[in-house]
Amino acid sequence: MFESLASIGIHLKNILGKAGRCLVVTDTHVWPLHGERLQRALQSVGWEPQVRAVDPGEESKSTQTLDDLYEWALSLEVERATAVLAFGGGVVGDLTGYFAATLLRGVPLVQVPTTLVAQVDSSTGGKTGINHPRGKNLIGAFYRPKLVLSDVSLLHTLSEDDWLSGLSETIKHALIADSGLFSDLSEDWADVLTRRSENLVDLVRRSASVKIRTVAQDEFESGIRMHLNFGHTFGHAIEQVAGYGVISHGRAVAAGMTAATFLSARYTDNLAVDTILEPLAALCPPEWRKLDAARIVEAMTNDKKRSDGRTRFVLLRQPGDAYVTADVDPRLVLESIHRAQQ
Amino acid sequence: MFESLASIGIHLKNILGKAGRCLVVTDTHVWPLHGERLQRALQSVGWEPQVRAVDPGEESKSTQTLDDLYEWALSLEVERATAVLAFGGGVVGDLTGYFAATLLRGVPLVQVPTTLVAQVDSSTGGKTGINHPRGKNLIGAFYRPKLVLSDVSLLHTLSEDDWLSGLSETIKHALIADSGLFSDLSEDWADVLTRRSENLVDLVRRSASVKIRTVAQDEFESGIRMHLNFGHTFGHAIEQVAGYGVISHGRAVAAGMTAATFLSARYTDNLAVDTILEPLAALCPPEWRKLDAARIVEAMTNDKKRSDGRTRFVLLRQPGDAYVTADVDPRLVLESIHRAQQ
């Protein structure tokens, strides 16, 4: 739900029956900015939050941080009914979600996403996990939150990079399943980029809805949910080749969607390539143009979305109409990266 | 299903569509005894098993062993469709189940239990997990196997302790939900103890059925599944006070069921205490009588099955009729341990 942070304590009470102790996992960037508001919202209706702030950034999605969280929680003698709140962006959400999924074989999870990426994408859908030296999100679980509460007012403190990252996922949802949203986003694009659009809450909410609808149709990612990976097969590889943390996930996906759009055009006549690429242009990270395209292709073959050793791609027929295929000419993959990098 | 190990390859093929590479996690005790039979059964129909044998015993349910398994599997470039087989007793099943649940957010899991405990109990029901220095099974997930194949012929190589441990869980299922099975087990008890009973396959299968039925009614352990913890609140505490590994899980549960039966008698008139205790007598480990009863009670308060800080107990009205209560006088808990230790 999109609502003010101030209502979190009451919603939590409605869902879990009564207030008591709860665990909050956040990061040391978010907590000084918004922690007091969360704490007040919880304490005002009787919650007793215990707070743990991890380091910001992808490095915290590690077995080491996870072990620290287990030790912390178990030293507090938590019970199966103890709620765990994830208060932060995608990293905090993924890490905390996996922590909640595996602590005592699962405790109630609440996502309170504080970034645009997390609000439109990562906080819903139940994907949780941590990284492994061999790749991102290789250890994880599907685990659904009891509640996702997104407060759009939190987004005004985001860095420019985090904002553009979030817009990448926002527009991705439009591209795979909602052509009307894609038109509305494109029309308002200059104001959306600068966060001044009057339609912001509406656009963000509609984008999140695409994610929620898609996941509801396919919880375990065997069919239509694959569409959400539009731009991601390229994007993950771009992140990896750049070195994790150099290019943000969302902006790597923007670059990935650009390449995927060129690839789509090779299999669909009359794809409106320019219309699609126009809003993406501002989101692509400049650094990615210098990356070795052959290495990106190589990294893609190690992506976990493979089946039978073949790399699967999400391509577009038109904005709002995506499909999955493993039947792609590897030379065209390389070519589409080259074209996108120009 | 209760069937010959020889059929595993075919069943696996039917479930997963086609044969290919698969991962087998076992231990260094089981593999030399039965590994060749499993390998032959798999290879004969086209499977290519990759085998990893962990050390036998509770110590392998650790984050360290788990990390080794992740590294092994990821170095083999496994995919989401790669099946993982757990070939061993409860430790291998719990560890491997959790490994499969969390590898790439979940890969297909097959349980091939080689102990009686695992065949009647731990291989079904979807509980997976590892231990934490603060207690057993504190990290884990609910994750259902695609297939459980139990071959009773494997049980003849079990140690006496493992056999008695398994009988403890076998009789537990009868006590909580199947009075007919309890009568049949009691009648045949002398021959069951020595593994000579002609009814062995039937009795084991019926005991496993109780577990499967109970779990099917309540996958996430919120209601009737609690009955399966009969003897376990005491049992876990007994294991912990004795020091993990000193007393086997099943035999600690036998001692726990003895205490729980005395406790039940304090709340139900005319409970057939002697009838219940008679088969349990041969299963209780002699060492447990020397343990400090007060320390057992203390350990019970740290058990994760608490809700609102109260310890919950599964008690009996009669053989085959269990119930859950948190409304128990702590003095009677201590008293029932004392009586059971005599």
Side-chain angles (χ1 to χ4, degrees):
Chain A
M1 58 177 74
F2 282 79
E3 265 193 42
S4 164
L5 194 56
S7 65
I8 181 74
I10 292 167
H11 286 302
L12 201 52
K13 218 163 149 175
N14 287 341
I15 287 167
L16 298 178
K18 61 177 167 24
R21 202 168 50 163
C22 64
L23 306 184
V24 176
V25 181
T26 183
D27 71 36
T28 55
H29 174 72
V30 167
W31 191 248
L33 289 171
H34 305 294
E36 211 179 305
R37 272 182 73 193
L38 179 69
Q39 207 147 19
R40 211 179 315 127
L42 288 169
Q43 288 173 338
S44 67
V45 289
W47 291 97
E48 298 160 30
Q50 304 280 327
V51 181
R52 188 78 157 196
V54 303
D55 291 337
E58 210 51 49
E59 288 70 29
S60 284
K61 284 175 64 175
S62 66
T63 50
Q64 180 55 54
T65 313
L66 186 66
D67 284 344
D68 289 347
L69 291 178
Y70 289 138
E71 178 57 32
W72 167 62
L74 294 170
S75 74
L76 293 171
E77 301 194 357
V78 293
E79 300 177 354
R80 282 223 184 127
T82 307
V84 171
L85 281 75
F87 187 56
V91 166
V92 165
D94 286 359
L95 168 71
T96 310
Y98 186 59
F99 164 62
T102 55
L103 179 67
L104 307 182
R105 293 203 194 91
V107 299
L109 169 66
V110 175
Q111 293 278 6
V112 187
T114 61
T115 66
L116 181 55
V117 175
Q119 290 190 359
V120 299
D121 183 8
S122 58
S123 65
T124 58
K127 276 191 183 184
T128 73
I130 58 173
N131 300 329
H132 186 273
R134 290 183 181 269
K136 282 185 69 171
N137 297 319
L138 293 178
I139 301 168
F142 287 95
Y143 194 66
R144 274 202 283 189
K146 296 278 185 198
L147 169 69
V148 182
L149 189 140
S150 297
D151 182 340
V152 177
S153 78
L154 299 174
L155 304 180
H156 289 285
T157 59
L158 284 186
S159 72
E160 185 65 6
D161 191 58
D162 285 343
W163 178 250
L164 298 180
S165 241
L167 286 181
S168 176
E169 303 287 354
T170 308
I171 207 159
K172 182 196 73 181
H173 292 151
L175 281 171
I176 62 168
D178 190 339
S179 59
L181 177 58
F182 182 73
S183 302
D184 292 348
L185 275 166
S186 296
E187 199 167 305
D188 235 16
W189 195 240
D191 288 340
V192 168
L193 277 173
T194 54
R195 307 179 215 191
R196 282 178 305 202
S197 166
E198 287 175 6
N199 305 313
L200 209 53
V201 178
D202 176 59
L203 294 168
V204 170
R205 191 199 307 258
R206 283 162 67 194
S207 176
S209 298
V210 169
K211 170 72 183 275
I212 292 163
R213 279 200 309 273
T214 307
V215 169
Q217 286 173 58
D218 175 22
E219 189 174 3
F220 296 105
E221 201 171 28
S222 50
I224 198 176
R225 186 167 175 161
M226 286 281 301
H227 294 182
L228 294 168
N229 290 322
F230 180 55
H232 278 63
T233 304
F234 288 99
H236 282 151
I238 290 166
E239 276 184 276
Q240 194 181 320
V241 170
Y244 288 133
V246 173
I247 295 179
S248 69
H249 175 73
R251 298 189 70 184
V253 169
M257 289 192 289
T258 306
T261 300
F262 281 116
L263 187 58
S264 301
R266 287 299 216 152
Y267 293 95
T268 299
D269 292 337
N270 307 319
L271 180 63
V273 174
D274 291 345
T275 313
I276 297 171
L277 296 188
E278 204 183 328
L280 292 179
L283 307 180
C284 290
E287 310 90 303
W288 100 277
R289 294 179 206 283
K290 289 170 283 181
L291 300 179
D292 181 354
R295 282 190 60 207
I296 295 173
V297 172
E298 195 191 319
M300 286 162 76
T301 63
N302 293 320
D303 191 278
K304 72 180 174 303
K305 270 107 202 159
R306 288 174 303 156
S307 179
D308 305 323
R310 303 172 73 193
T311 305
R312 289 207 244 176
F313 289 87
V314 183
L315 299 181
L316 297 180
R317 283 190 203 90
Q318 283 305 332
D321 184 5
Y323 67 102
V324 179
T325 178
D327 194 15
V328 165
D329 182 340
R331 286 167 303 181
L332 296 184
V333 174
L334 187 68
E335 181 213 74
S336 64
I337 298 173
H338 279 307
R339 294 191 65 181
Q341 282 181 319
Q342 277 161 15
Chain B
M1 58 177 74
F2 282 79
E3 264 192 43
S4 163
L5 193 57
S7 65
I8 181 75
I10 293 166
H11 286 302
L12 201 53
K13 218 163 149 176
N14 288 340
I15 287 166
L16 298 178
K18 61 176 165 28
R21 204 168 49 164
C22 64
L23 305 184
V24 176
V25 181
T26 183
D27 70 37
T28 55
H29 174 72
V30 167
W31 191 251
L33 288 172
H34 306 294
E36 213 180 304
R37 273 181 72 193
L38 179 69
Q39 207 147 19
R40 211 180 315 128
L42 288 169
Q43 289 173 338
S44 66
V45 290
W47 291 97
E48 298 159 29
Q50 304 281 327
V51 182
R52 188 79 159 195
V54 303
D55 290 337
E58 208 55 45
E59 288 70 30
S60 284
K61 285 175 64 176
S62 66
T63 50
Q64 180 55 55
T65 312
L66 186 66
D67 284 344
D68 290 347
L69 291 177
Y70 289 138
E71 178 56 32
W72 167 63
L74 294 170
S75 73
L76 293 171
E77 301 193 357
V78 292
E79 300 178 354
R80 282 222 183 127
T82 307
V84 171
L85 280 75
F87 187 56
V91 166
V92 165
D94 286 0
L95 168 71
T96 309
Y98 186 59
F99 164 61
T102 55
L103 178 67
L104 307 182
R105 293 201 193 95
V107 298
L109 169 66
V110 175
Q111 293 279 4
V112 187
T114 61
T115 65
L116 182 54
V117 175
Q119 290 191 357
V120 299
D121 183 9
S122 57
S123 65
T124 57
K127 278 191 181 184
T128 73
I130 58 172
N131 300 328
H132 186 274
R134 290 183 181 270
K136 283 185 68 170
N137 297 319
L138 293 177
I139 300 169
F142 287 94
Y143 194 66
R144 274 201 283 189
K146 297 277 184 200
L147 169 69
V148 182
L149 190 139
S150 298
D151 182 339
V152 177
S153 79
L154 300 173
L155 304 180
H156 289 286
T157 58
L158 286 185
S159 72
E160 185 66 8
D161 191 58
D162 285 343
W163 179 249
L164 298 180
S165 242
L167 287 181
S168 176
E169 303 286 355
T170 308
I171 207 159
K172 181 196 74 182
H173 293 150
L175 282 171
I176 62 167
D178 190 340
S179 59
L181 178 59
F182 182 72
S183 302
D184 292 347
L185 275 167
S186 296
E187 198 167 305
D188 235 16
W189 195 241
D191 288 341
V192 169
L193 277 174
T194 55
R195 308 180 214 190
R196 283 178 305 202
S197 167
E198 287 176 4
N199 305 312
L200 210 54
V201 178
D202 175 60
L203 295 168
V204 170
R205 192 201 305 260
R206 283 162 69 194
S207 176
S209 298
V210 169
K211 170 72 182 276
I212 293 163
R213 280 201 308 274
T214 307
V215 169
Q217 287 174 58
D218 175 22
E219 190 174 2
F220 295 105
E221 202 172 26
S222 51
I224 197 175
R225 185 166 175 163
M226 286 283 300
H227 294 181
L228 294 167
N229 290 322
F230 179 56
H232 279 62
T233 305
F234 288 98
H236 280 152
I238 290 165
E239 276 184 276
Q240 193 180 323
V241 171
Y244 288 133
V246 173
I247 294 179
S248 67
H249 175 72
R251 299 190 68 185
V253 168
M257 289 192 288
T258 305
T261 300
F262 280 117
L263 187 57
S264 301
R266 288 298 218 151
Y267 293 95
T268 299
D269 293 338
N270 308 317
L271 181 64
V273 175
D274 291 346
T275 312
I276 297 171
L277 296 188
E278 204 183 325
L280 293 179
L283 307 180
C284 290
E287 311 90 304
W288 99 277
R289 293 178 207 284
K290 289 171 284 183
L291 301 178
D292 182 354
R295 281 190 61 208
I296 295 173
V297 172
E298 195 191 317
M300 286 160 75
T301 62
N302 292 320
D303 190 280
K304 70 179 176 302
K305 270 108 203 159
R306 288 173 304 156
S307 178
D308 304 323
R310 302 172 74 193
T311 305
R312 290 207 245 177
F313 289 88
V314 183
L315 300 181
L316 296 180
R317 285 189 201 92
Q318 284 304 332
D321 183 6
Y323 66 102
V324 179
T325 178
D327 194 15
V328 165
D329 182 341
R331 286 167 303 181
L332 295 185
V333 174
L334 186 67
E335 182 212 73
S336 65
I337 297 173
H338 280 306
R339 294 192 65 182
Q341 284 181 318
Q342 279 162 14

